């Protein structure tokens, strides 16, 4: 590590641990080569020779297909010492997580890759200055970098032709709950929550949990909310990991809140008092 000096790393965060989220799993299982291509393009942009693909242990099929795809790319000169004879050196190491929610946080993920307990680090310094193994590191999630090949092939203007000025392109949403057609939906940022739920076959709803377990409950009266970063920010909500969990009028919310509180109590890394104690007190209050 000391000899690494100015070495740079690329980290692909595929530790998709937010309850209700499965978009990264679908991307990795159905098109692992797109993931490798995106990482390779990013490595050229930042001058990295090694990338780490951190996949949660609960995704064995994704892990298997990525392992196979990486091996095929090495065999065909798409990874390795001299990619396509262009003088660029880049390879990928696949790392499997151990089911810790906290390792979705970028610096805790670094600690896990380095062999330490997954705990967040104080920032600054930020990863781009001092990240993995103390070196400058670029870290992104699967969905973000999966957009890169399209932009390289077709240009930024075509990518921005859909969506809004503040939320260009499309976004993946994991729709589940009181809908007839649960699944993964790719929609532009100017789509409304109501329009998405109509496509998913939702009937009468009481509320929608938007953004995941750490997200926000949207009441049925506000379903015309535009699914853009700027619109959700205005109402104090977040798109988070793309979770859209619909609740019908017959579903009691209290047991859901109990489950969410128990989840955060269990998944606290215990490093800081407000979280370590606060998650327990939150559950007690509920």
């Amino acid at each position: 590590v000391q000899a690494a000096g100015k070495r740079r790393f690329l980290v692909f965060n595929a530790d998709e641990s937010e309850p209700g989220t499965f978009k990264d799993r679908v991307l990795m299982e159905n098109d692992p080569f797109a993931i490798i291509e995106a990482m390779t393009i990013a490595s050229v942009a930042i001058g990295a020779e090694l990338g780490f693909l951190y996949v949660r242990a609960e995704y064995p099929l994704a892990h298997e297909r990525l392992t196979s795809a990486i091996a095929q790319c090495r065999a065909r000169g798409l990874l390795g010492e001299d990619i396509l004879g262009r003088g660029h050196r880049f390879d990928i190491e696949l790392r499997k997580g151990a089911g810790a929610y906290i390792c979705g946080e970028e610096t805790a993920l670094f600690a896990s890759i380095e062999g330490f307990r997954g705990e967040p680090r104080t920032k600054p310094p930020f990863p781009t200055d001092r990240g993995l193994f103390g070196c400058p590191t670029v870290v992104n999630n699967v969905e973000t970098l999966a957009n890169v090949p399209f932009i390289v092939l077709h240009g930024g203007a075509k990518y921005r032709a859909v969506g809004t000025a503040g939320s260009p392109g499309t976004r993946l949403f994991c729709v589940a709950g009181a809908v007839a057609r649960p699944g993964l939906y790719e929609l532009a940022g100017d789509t409304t929550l109501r329009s998405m739920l109509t496509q998913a076959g939702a009937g009468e709803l009481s509320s929608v949990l938007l953004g995941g377990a750490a997200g926000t409950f949207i009441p049925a009266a506000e379903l015309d909310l535009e699914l853009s970063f700027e619109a959700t920010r205005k109402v104090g909500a977040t798109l988070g990991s793309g979770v859209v969990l619909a609740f019908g009028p017959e579903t009691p919310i209290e047991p859901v809140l109990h489950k969410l509180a128990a989840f955060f109590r269990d998944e606290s890394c215990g490093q800081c008092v407000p979280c370590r104690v606060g998650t327990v007190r939150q559950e007690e209050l509920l």
Side-chain angles (χ1 to χ4, degrees):
V1 174
Q2 292 297 324
K6 298 284 186 179
R7 194 176 187 186
R8 299 172 183 177
F9 292 110
L10 173 67
V11 174
F12 218 54
N13 184 352
D15 188 61
E16 191 174 44
S17 303
E18 189 72 26
T21 316
F22 48 86
K23 57 185 174 62
D24 292 350
R25 176 178 64 81
V26 173
L27 289 171
M28 292 186 290
E29 290 178 357
N30 286 279
D31 198 354
F33 292 100
I35 306 303
I36 296 169
E37 182 182 13
M39 290 188 71
T40 306
I41 294 170
S43 75
V44 174
I46 69 171
E49 295 184 351
L50 182 60
F52 291 87
L53 183 47
Y54 190 93
V55 184
R56 66 181 308 211
E58 292 86 347
Y59 288 172
L61 182 58
H63 195 274
E64 176 186 326
R65 290 182 175 173
L66 285 165
T67 299
S68 174
I70 290 171
Q72 291 180 60
C73 287
R74 285 176 182 152
R76 299 186 184 190
L78 300 173
L79 287 174
E81 296 295 320
D82 185 14
I83 296 176
L84 295 176
R86 301 294 182 89
H88 180 62
R89 176 186 178 188
F90 180 67
D91 209 341
I92 297 172
E93 285 192 19
L94 199 58
R95 296 294 179 92
K96 189 185 293 185
Y101 175 74
I102 194 62
C103 287
E105 196 279 332
E106 56 191 23
T107 58
L109 186 152
F110 295 160
S112 177
I113 292 176
E114 293 168 3
F116 299 108
R117 177 174 175 166
E119 290 184 339
R121 299 170 182 173
T122 302
K123 291 180 280 191
F126 294 98
T128 47
D129 296 319
R130 185 176 178 83
L132 187 64
F133 299 115
C135 298
T137 304
V138 167
V139 53
N140 273 298
N141 64 29
V142 174
E143 183 184 3
T144 299
L145 281 184
N147 285 299
V148 169
F150 177 90
I151 295 171
V152 169
L153 285 172
H154 304 287
K158 189 165 185 178
Y159 181 79
R160 286 186 169 275
V162 296
T164 68
S167 302
T170 59
R171 181 78 193 257
L172 295 176
F173 294 94
C174 310
V175 183
V179 294
R181 293 178 292 277
L184 189 64
Y185 288 75
E186 182 177 10
L187 300 166
D190 55 0
T191 306
T192 65
L193 182 56
R194 187 182 303 278
S195 174
M196 174 202 290
L197 291 167
T198 299
Q199 292 181 53
E204 184 183 356
L205 298 175
S206 61
S207 62
V208 175
L209 178 57
L210 182 64
T216 308
F217 281 93
I218 305 297
E222 298 176 15
L223 293 184
D224 290 317
L225 175 68
E226 183 181 79
L227 293 171
S228 64
F229 293 113
E230 56 270 32
T232 52
R233 197 178 296 122
K234 283 182 181 179
V235 298
T238 175
L239 295 178
S241 60
V243 172
V244 178
L245 186 56
F247 295 96
E250 73 287 349
T251 304
I253 295 298
E254 186 179 351
V256 177
L257 298 178
H258 278 286
K259 285 188 177 182
L260 295 179
F263 172 81
F264 286 117
R265 178 206 64 204
D266 290 342
E267 294 298 335
S268 170
C269 72
Q271 184 178 17
C272 305
V273 173
C275 179
R276 182 176 68 242
V277 177
T279 51
V280 176
R281 294 293 176 260
Q282 176 180 257
E283 186 182 27
E284 291 173 349
L285 285 169
L286 283 169

